[in-house]
Amino acid sequence: MSTKKSPLNRLRRSLGLDTQNEWPSVARERLLAYGLLAVYVLVIWFPIYYIFITSIKPSSEVLSLPITFLPQNPTAQNYVDIFTNRPFDNYTINSMIVATTTTLICITLGTVTGYSFSRYDFLGNKSLLLSIVGARMIPPIALIVPFFQIMSNPPLIGGLTGSLYDTRLALILTYTFFNLPFAVWIMKNYFDGIPESLDEQAQIDGCSRWEAFVKIILPMAKPGIAATAILAFIFSWNEFVFALVLTSSEQAQTLPIAVSLFVADDFVDWAHLAAGGMIAALPGILFGLFFQQYIVSGLTQGAVKE
Amino acid sequence: MAHVELTDLVKEFDDVTAVDGISLDIPDESFTVLVGPSGCGKTTTLRLIAGLERATDGEIRIGEDIVNDARAYERDIAMVFQNYALYPHKTVRDNMRFGLEQHDTDEGIITERVQETAELLQIEELLDRRPSELSGGQQQRVALGRAIVRDPAVFLMDEPLSNLDAKLRVQMRAELNKLHEELSTTTVYVTHDQVEAMTLADQIAVMDNGQIQQVGEPTHVYSNPRNMFVAGFLGSPSMNFLEGTLEESDAGKFELDLGGAIHNVPDEFTDALEPYLGDRVTLGIRPENIALNQDGVPANVHPATVEVVEPQGEKTVLELELATGQSIKAAVDPDTTVEMGDAVNLRFDRDSLQYFDPTTGKSLTYDTKIEQQATI
Amino acid sequence: MSIEKSPLRRKLDKLFVPLTVGPTLLWIAAIIIYPTAKLLLSSLQFRNPVTNEMEFVGLRNFQRLIFAREGGDAALGVFSPSFVSITTNTVIYVGFSVSISFLLGLGIALLLDKDLKGRGWFRTAVIVPWILPYVMSGLMWRWMFQSDFGAINGALQRLGIISGNIPFLSDGALAMMALIIADVWVFTPFIIIILLAGLQNVPEQLYDAAEVDGASRWSRFWNVTYPFLKPSILVALTIRIIFDIRALDLVWVMTQGGPGKSTEVWASWLYRTAQVFNEPGTGAALGVVLLAVTFAIVASLYKIFGESPYEA
């Protein structure tokens, strides 16, 4: 009995590896699972580790042999450089503005539209929804030609704004297009999970449709909205191809473009590229670490209807 | 307080008529229960009264007002849903306050009413919790409290007890009775559970196929069903139906040939059944009105074999096979000692016999029985 | 409380659906119909390099892309050699990436579905690669595979497996392999998430029942897990395939289709034609083909499995 109390045994029991408490085959299988997962995580995180240490090595160390897997002289110089020698502040602000605005538009429209699709039977409800979702199937890359043409010479509003080429607005419009159908779909599925009797109870309590939606349903949909918002933000923050096609200067270029600019024809400035890459990757890593469950639920709602 | 009056109410959905022209008077301060099998239109009727659905045709009157065009939020009603529909992100207190706030009630009155209602339902210590922290029974009370606190003209309840376990259900039934006595608010209550309907209602409306089959006081409807549907729906185990051919005996008495066995029809029904001589007629007898007969009085005694014995505590239900091959259920005293395979004689209580037209299901003896009761 | 009738509230209520659905529909309709029409139109035009005007050329763009020139080299009889080789590259890239990441993702999802402590942490750690900007991931892998200072050569040398440097990205086949590895690294988390969600649908009692029945692990997977997982597998594969066909980011930053044309795929071909060579007409024609291919794939999966992947 006394051995049971040792820390090792307690750990073993809490991990479900104690053969006194579990079938030996179950414990063995579990141990194997821990092992395989640990190896997998180490392997997939290694490149992230390597690019991170590259970003804190001086350029001279990056390009010297033998390569080091532990930085000998860690420094933040690369990060300072990209903000002073290159307009990374502009790129970051562009990325923030584009991703935030896109996200706001997507969750606003996605939420109200998703709610109506969830609750009301209107003409062509189903086919409209299918066509909205079907819009996702159009490969964006197929549309780079028309989008480039449209943004260079926008119809209807062209007289007012002139060309939208190389503006943040062009990116916002484009990203909203790609993310909105997804947002509607996630939110529709989320609202489907909220019992309709709550809407009805709100009406009985004296709420109009709008009041019921705003006062009762919307507060309950916060997790769904968060999931939609995070995914829309990440997608817009990370987008590369349309940013490449639709922008050409620091007044609209976003971080993914900025990072790619470190690649010259023959020479790549790896140390600074790594630092820029880490900046670009930061929101993703943070969201992943702290809001993993929203990303999972959003993606699940979006892809697989329960 | 208000009475509710439904006149020729119709509700059609795409290809179904859920409510098919019902008229019902729900008196002020009454506890009216709409009961019927699922899909009979009872919930739709309730939702029409609530204003959650728009009536296709007919008229809904709450108090003096015709409310057909009023939205749910414009009608002075409160509703308790089957799944309680408590707002999960609000505390119990805020759940109860919300309806009052929406109706621009003074803050002082809101606080007072919430407190009073919480005391009435003994949920004061739950006020600051959220619905997810409550048991099913507690959620049920909160849902009731949220309706009561509004002090509406009418309470609408949609199977509010169906999610509770059996014991709690019985307890809440008693409590609902007590509450209704205290508050006297007109209540319309929907359930598929006929026991619940019988115990709660002072007026019961049995529905089927979008129509009201019979309205009345529960015990009256129970003993005097207008048709086979009502007769079969109320009561558990349900009424036995035995079909046979009506014939006149040599002695001028009416008898039903059940296919081998003869059942003697009491004389008082002779007039009512006269037109059916030679036709098929269905005899209805409730299980509790069947006794095991040892004495062997010849009238209306039917030999049968015990097939299943099912002790239920306060009674024992027997499944039997008549000599004619028809099967029948009897509810007998739990002390009765019979076993599977025993041969017994069954005696039908003559005062509880009913006769129906097997094709239309209509009761042939309803009027006679009502007259009889009136003379007594 | 008497019944108050408020016409404004009612009016606004009546407009609920139009007001909530209308803007989104208009937005999506405008932005689908117009560019798609423009795409179809452009695909029938060719930019005259002298006047810079778009001229109508009928189906010539498609003909030029797909079929061999008269008297020129031909592959498989009539097709143009570059069309065939790029299509082959795309099939290899998508085929290997999707199947490897699917098997890997399925394995990890099954492990993560077990009752393990710290499952949430593992899940977080496993998902991150998918959330990073593809550009950053592509460049990261380009750095990993770099022949002089890359971590892979470095590690292999340190382990004594190789002595010289392997020029991963300047050899056609190796470059394709590097691309596939990067793709698998980026997209396996997506498979894991979808399959993990699907695994939640398997009723626990069925596993217990199978165990009581003495089913082997293999038979438990096929008879219990697989039937419930099938819809998720379909969704994961469909989305994975159509997204991989259109994905440009990784290819563009890692190899730009090189060395030579050894890693040129549909997406990079389209981009190169439209933007680099400034032939919007030909690029649009490629876009039309890509659109058709995508719908054909979705439709055939739909046909095979008999249900819409979006309604699974």
Side-chain angles (χ1 to χ4, degrees):
Chain A
M1 284 311 268
S2 60
T3 53
K4 289 273 163 53
K5 294 218 166 91
S6 80
L8 186 67
N9 268 322
R10 240 180 301 162
L11 178 70
R12 193 182 287 167
R13 175 163 289 194
S14 84
L15 292 179
L17 302 175
D18 183 357
T19 47
Q20 196 75 52
N21 200 31
E22 302 278 353
W23 296 112
S25 63
V26 173
R28 251 195 327 266
E29 222 172 88
R30 210 169 262 159
L31 185 65
L32 183 69
Y34 280 121
L36 289 174
L37 282 173
V39 169
Y40 181 75
V41 169
L42 284 179
V43 169
I44 62 163
W45 273 77
F46 178 71
I48 299 176
Y49 167 78
Y50 190 65
I51 194 120
F52 170 69
I53 59 165
T54 303
S55 79
I56 56 169
K57 286 177 187 174
S59 292
S60 55
E61 190 183 330
V62 170
L63 300 181
S64 67
L65 287 171
I67 62 168
T68 51
F69 288 104
L70 274 177
Q72 305 302 305
N73 306 296
T75 168
Q77 191 58 44
N78 296 325
Y79 289 90
V80 176
D81 288 349
I82 60 171
F83 280 95
T84 46
N85 300 341
R86 285 182 182 246
F88 255 70
D89 43 353
N90 282 357
Y91 299 139
T92 310
I93 290 169
N94 290 340
S95 275
M96 294 291 272
I97 290 177
V98 169
T100 313
T101 315
T102 306
T103 305
L104 286 177
I105 299 175
C106 285
I107 56 174
T108 309
L109 290 178
T111 303
V112 293
T113 309
Y115 177 74
S116 271
F117 272 116
S118 164
R119 290 298 193 260
Y120 297 108
D121 260 339
F122 45 86
L123 199 67
N125 177 323
K126 209 178 151 103
S127 47
L128 276 179
L129 185 63
L130 273 182
S131 57
I132 286 186
V133 175
R136 273 174 72 198
M137 290 204 205
I138 299 176
I141 189 144
L143 297 177
I144 55 173
V145 172
F147 265 83
F148 178 75
Q149 292 168 338
I150 290 165
M151 291 305 172
S152 306
N153 183 16
L156 303 178
I157 55 168
L160 302 173
T161 59
S163 170
L164 290 178
Y165 178 73
D166 200 25
T167 61
R168 293 186 288 236
L169 183 60
L171 293 184
I172 291 168
L173 293 175
T174 311
Y175 296 171
T176 308
F177 166 53
F178 293 126
N179 285 305
L180 189 52
F182 192 61
V184 171
W185 184 241
I186 300 181
M187 288 315 297
K188 189 251 173 203
N189 286 339
Y190 195 85
F191 287 123
D192 282 349
I194 298 178
E196 214 168 331
S197 58
L198 287 171
D199 305 56
E200 293 174 345
Q201 176 61 47
Q203 285 189 50
I204 301 236
D205 273 340
C207 292
S208 67
R209 281 180 178 190
W210 290 95
E211 287 167 333
F213 175 59
V214 173
K215 291 184 180 172
I216 297 298
I217 302 302
L218 214 48
M220 289 179 59
K222 275 183 201 155
I225 296 173
T228 312
I230 289 173
L231 285 176
F233 188 91
I234 293 177
F235 288 151
S236 328
W237 181 273
N238 291 351
E239 206 285 331
F240 172 66
V241 176
F242 280 81
L244 192 61
V245 174
L246 297 177
T247 63
S248 59
S249 77
E250 65 194 59
Q251 65 167 340
Q253 281 175 327
T254 52
L255 284 171
I257 301 299
V259 177
S260 74
L261 291 177
F262 287 104
V263 181
D265 279 344
D266 302 324
F267 175 75
V268 184
D269 181 0
W270 287 111
H272 291 100
L273 184 151
M278 290 310 293
I279 301 280
L282 199 59
I285 293 181
L286 292 180
F287 279 131
L289 292 182
F290 296 107
F291 303 111
Q292 174 250 121
Q293 75 272 27
Y294 290 115
I295 296 171
V296 172
S297 76
L299 207 61
T300 313
Q301 302 260 12
V304 204
K305 204 167 135 193
E306 65 261 35
Chain B
M1 307 291 142
H3 77 284
V4 177
E5 208 180 313
L6 311 178
T7 316
D8 299 328
L9 197 59
V10 175
K11 175 64 185 176
E12 285 165 5
F13 292 109
D14 291 341
D15 44 0
V16 241
T17 304
V19 174
D20 193 4
I22 67 172
S23 296
L24 178 63
D25 191 17
I26 297 162
D28 191 13
E29 304 197 356
S30 80
F31 198 116
T32 296
V33 175
L34 306 179
V35 65
S38 63
C40 71
K42 56 190 192 299
T43 296
T44 308
T45 308
L46 194 75
R47 292 169 61 85
L48 286 167
I49 302 174
L52 293 172
E53 305 284 356
R54 188 177 166 78
T56 311
D57 205 355
E59 191 181 276
I60 306 168
R61 205 183 267 272
I62 298 179
E64 293 315 303
D65 302 305
I66 295 174
V67 296
N68 279 41
D69 292 330
R71 296 295 165 77
Y73 55 79
E74 295 164 337
R75 299 186 189 185
D76 189 12
I77 46 140
M79 185 157 168
V80 179
F81 288 84
Q82 184 171 8
N83 63 2
Y84 316 138
L86 297 176
Y87 306 129
H89 58 298
K90 289 181 186 285
T91 60
V92 168
R93 188 191 307 281
D94 290 341
N95 263 285
M96 291 172 69
R97 291 174 56 95
F98 187 72
L100 292 171
E101 284 168 358
Q102 284 308 111
H103 286 88
D104 298 325
T105 316
D106 287 337
E107 177 59 35
I109 298 177
I110 297 182
T111 320
E112 195 187 308
R113 287 255 283 275
V114 170
Q115 193 57 37
E116 273 175 22
T117 311
E119 276 167 32
L120 179 72
L121 289 166
Q122 297 159 332
I123 51 171
E124 297 133 280
E125 70 282 12
L126 306 179
L127 282 175
D128 293 310
R129 302 223 202 132
R130 281 176 199 279
S132 57
E133 298 167 286
L134 306 180
S135 70
Q138 289 170 329
Q139 292 187 20
Q140 223 289 316
R141 283 168 174 276
V142 175
L144 271 180
R146 181 169 61 178
I148 292 171
V149 81
R150 287 263 316 278
D151 190 21
V154 185
F155 283 145
L156 305 174
M157 303 195 184
D158 185 10
E159 309 234 12
L161 304 186
S162 63
N163 285 350
L164 299 179
D165 63 53
K167 200 173 157 200
L168 214 51
R169 196 151 53 208
V170 175
Q171 202 181 318
M172 279 311 291
R173 238 156 43 197
E175 208 152 327
L176 278 175
N177 263 331
K178 218 177 77 195
L179 277 174
H180 184 65
E181 232 156 78
E182 219 159 307
L183 302 167
S184 308
T185 309
T186 314
T187 305
V188 186
Y189 187 106
V190 160
T191 182
H192 66 276
D193 179 347
Q194 41 100 11
V195 181
E196 210 168 287
M198 296 292 293
T199 43
L200 284 171
D202 43 45
Q203 171 174 273
I204 188 172
V206 184
M207 291 186 67
D208 188 37
N209 282 329
Q211 287 168 337
I212 292 183
Q213 304 295 324
Q214 191 169 359
V215 185
E217 220 183 301
T219 46
H220 175 84
V221 176
Y222 184 80
S223 341
N224 304 289
R226 268 183 184 282
N227 57 37
M228 280 170 75
F229 174 78
V230 175
F233 187 76
L234 297 181
S236 168
S238 56
M239 187 182 273
N240 297 298
F241 294 115
L242 303 170
E243 205 182 306
T245 310
L246 189 65
E247 283 159 2
E248 193 168 1
S249 74
D250 302 338
K253 303 264 186 197
F254 280 18
E255 50 187 37
L256 204 56
D257 182 350
L258 297 172
I262 298 295
H263 161 81
N264 298 319
V265 177
D267 292 342
E268 65 260 36
F269 296 134
T270 309
D271 290 347
L273 293 180
E274 177 109 52
Y276 284 84
L277 261 181
D279 286 342
R280 302 292 283 173
V281 165
T282 298
L283 156 71
I285 178 83
R286 293 198 180 277
E288 66 263 31
N289 298 326
I290 300 177
L292 297 190
N293 193 337
Q294 271 85 21
D295 313 340
V297 179
N300 276 342
V301 168
H302 299 282
T305 319
V306 179
E307 302 250 283
V308 178
V309 182
E310 197 180 284
Q312 292 186 347
E314 83 277 17
K315 64 186 178 208
T316 293
V317 176
L318 305 178
E319 246 173 70
L320 309 124
E321 194 184 296
L322 291 173
T324 59
Q326 287 153 308
S327 70
I328 190 168
K329 279 188 177 182
V332 296
D333 196 85
D335 299 335
T336 318
T337 49
V338 284
E339 275 175 41
M340 224 178 94
D342 283 359
V344 291
N345 286 322
L346 303 180
R347 189 162 59 88
F348 299 165
D349 174 21
R350 68 183 305 280
D351 292 334
S352 312
L353 295 170
Q354 324 246 4
Y355 297 91
F356 302 94
D357 178 335
T359 39
T360 63
K362 262 188 68 174
S363 172
L364 304 173
T365 46
Y366 178 80
D367 294 331
T368 318
K369 295 194 84 169
I370 299 294
E371 272 168 41
Q372 259 175 14
Q373 283 160 16
T375 51
I376 296 167
Chain C
M1 265 177 281
S2 71
I3 294 163
E4 37 176 306
K5 299 200 163 72
S6 38
L8 179 67
R9 260 174 127 194
R10 282 191 187 178
K11 187 145 242 170
L12 277 174
D13 262 18
K14 256 189 198 138
L15 292 174
F16 190 89
V17 172
L19 284 178
T20 53
V21 178
T24 303
L25 274 189
L26 281 178
W27 174 255
I28 293 181
I31 218 149
I32 289 179
I33 294 167
Y34 189 72
T36 310
K38 192 112 183 152
L39 175 76
L40 294 175
L41 183 67
S42 301
S43 72
L44 304 176
Q45 295 174 325
F46 192 81
R47 187 183 63 87
N48 184 324
V50 182
T51 61
N52 217 12
E53 290 290 311
M54 297 294 282
E55 293 167 2
F56 184 82
V57 292
L59 294 173
R60 284 241 312 276
N61 286 328
F62 294 93
Q63 198 183 5
R64 261 168 16 97
L65 283 170
I66 298 173
F67 297 104
R69 238 162 269 202
E70 204 128 341
D73 290 339
L76 300 175
V78 290
F79 298 107
S80 91
S82 61
F83 174 80
V84 171
S85 81
I86 291 169
T87 306
T88 312
N89 286 343
T90 310
V91 170
I92 291 174
Y93 175 54
V94 175
F96 276 98
S97 301
V98 171
S99 37
I100 295 172
S101 69
F102 173 73
L103 292 175
L104 197 58
L106 177 63
I108 299 297
L110 288 172
L111 289 178
L112 282 173
D113 192 46
K114 283 183 186 300
D115 178 23
L116 300 178
K117 278 275 155 57
R119 207 159 52 156
W121 282 106
F122 278 121
R123 202 159 64 164
T124 301
V126 158
I127 285 170
V128 165
W130 182 72
I131 306 167
L132 304 182
Y134 301 152
V135 172
M136 135 90 182
S137 304
L139 289 169
M140 184 186 80
W141 278 103
R142 181 163 166 183
W143 179 223
M144 292 291 290
F145 283 114
Q146 211 262 356
S147 54
D148 302 314
F149 309 103
I152 293 179
N153 270 317
L156 290 178
Q157 277 167 17
R158 194 157 302 184
L159 294 171
I161 298 173
I162 54 169
S163 51
N165 288 327
I166 301 177
F168 286 106
L169 295 175
S170 24
D171 174 278
L174 289 177
M176 181 57 93
M177 181 203 75
L179 214 49
I180 290 169
I181 289 176
D183 190 280
V184 167
W185 185 85
V186 169
F187 290 107
T188 303
F190 174 79
I191 303 266
I192 296 175
I193 294 173
I194 300 296
L195 295 189
L196 208 47
L199 286 171
Q200 311 299 310
N201 297 335
V202 186
E204 200 66 34
Q205 290 106 314
L206 282 188
Y207 284 124
D208 294 344
E211 197 172 333
V212 171
D213 287 343
S216 71
R217 184 194 321 257
W218 194 239
S219 117
R220 257 183 276 168
F221 177 80
W222 281 111
N223 294 306
V224 179
T225 315
Y226 177 70
F228 284 92
L229 204 54
K230 214 171 99 178
S232 304
I233 292 177
L234 175 62
V235 170
L237 286 182
T238 311
I239 297 184
R240 189 72 182 80
I241 291 172
I242 64 175
F243 275 51
D244 232 18
I245 293 176
R246 63 177 68 163
L248 171 66
D249 314 45
L250 289 179
V251 178
W252 199 250
V253 299
M254 280 181 75
T255 65
Q256 293 217 355
K261 292 254 177 232
S262 52
T263 57
E264 185 86 319
V265 290
W266 273 79
S268 58
W269 188 24
L270 197 166
Y271 180 79
R272 190 185 313 280
T273 312
Q275 296 305 120
V276 182
F277 299 152
N278 196 9
E279 290 181 22
T282 324
L286 270 170
V288 172
V289 177
L290 195 56
L291 197 67
V293 168
T294 302
F295 279 109
I297 289 172
V298 174
S300 53
L301 282 169
Y302 183 100
K303 190 118 199 171
I304 292 168
F305 290 90
E307 53 191 333
S308 154
Y310 287 101
E311 282 192 294

